[in-house]
Amino acid sequence: FSETYSIDASNENSSSAASDDQSDDQAESDESAAKDSPVNDLLKYTVRLHNAKLWDVVAPNLYQVKVTLYQGDTVVDEYPVHFGFRNSEFKLDGYYLNGRRLNIRGLNRHQSFPYVGYAMPQSQQRADADILRFELGVNAVRTSHYPQSQYFIDRCDEIGLLVFTEI
């Protein structure tokens, strides 16, 4: 499922278009512009996605929302966000993901690399997640003491690796 929105802050020339990448998904949307905001450009947009596939460690279903900012007909900024739907909870008898009990097998990760410290490129950040998931066979990682690279976090979402962040 992906949806593209083109909404003028004045709400006079608003339009939206939706396309389904997964045939069972259906979306409804509702938009409103708030005229009394401090900058007079606050925009609220709600999308209801029906029959969304849940994100899981064995099937990491992800969706994308891309926000595009226009000035007239010119694109001045775009920001894509990938996300998944999941229900995550700890109970007295263990951890549950989407209502299914899951044994957590994980490691702690420091983002410091020998000889270079934190200065590692996207490829190495993504490779670290792959090593944890595919070579070491874990399904969870705890990040240590500081924000991790967004490349690492994004790759974990893509391959079904749970992340417990510490800030």
Side-chain angles (χ1 to χ4, degrees):
F1 171 79
S2 65
E3 228 176 283
T4 304
Y5 306 103
S6 171
I7 302 171
D8 183 76
S10 67
N11 207 23
E12 294 170 3
N13 298 316
S14 301
S15 65
S16 67
S19 65
D20 290 344
D21 292 336
Q22 298 174 354
S23 60
D24 293 337
D25 298 337
Q26 297 176 7
E28 298 173 12
S29 59
D30 178 40
E31 63 188 70
S32 62
K35 298 294 185 186
D36 298 327
S37 72
V39 293
N40 203 28
D41 289 338
L42 180 63
L43 180 68
K44 178 183 177 186
Y45 205 95
T46 303
V47 175
R48 290 178 186 86
L49 183 64
H50 303 283
N51 301 317
K53 292 179 172 67
L54 296 176
W55 183 97
D56 193 89
V57 294
V58 294
N61 295 300
L62 293 175
Y63 294 85
Q64 180 186 41
V65 170
K66 182 168 75 172
V67 178
T68 305
L69 180 63
Y70 292 89
Q71 188 169 29
D73 291 336
T74 305
V75 174
V76 293
D77 199 10
E78 287 186 337
Y79 188 76
V81 178
H82 291 90
F83 62 95
F85 296 99
R86 65 202 98 181
N87 181 20
S88 177
E89 64 182 313
F90 286 94
K91 296 182 179 180
L92 291 176
D93 64 334
Y95 174 72
Y96 287 77
L97 180 62
N98 302 324
R100 179 178 56 91
R101 191 169 187 283
L102 178 69
N103 288 325
I104 298 173
R105 293 178 313 279
L107 295 171
N108 189 59
R109 178 185 192 251
H110 286 271
Q111 190 172 272
S112 182
F113 295 88
Y115 310 110
V116 295
Y118 305 109
M120 291 304 286
Q122 175 181 353
S123 60
Q124 187 59 48
Q125 298 291 346
R126 293 174 62 83
D128 247 19
D130 288 343
I131 290 168
L132 292 171
R133 183 75 173 125
F134 302 119
E135 293 181 29
L136 299 177
V138 302
N139 61 11
V141 60
R142 174 184 173 258
T143 62
S144 290
H145 315 312
Y146 39 79
Q148 304 285 300
S149 165
Q150 193 60 48
Y151 300 124
F152 175 78
I153 301 296
D154 290 345
R155 183 62 180 155
C156 290
D157 271 346
E158 294 168 6
I159 62 176
L161 191 57
L162 290 165
V163 178
F164 295 87
T165 59
E166 179 181 319
I167 298 176

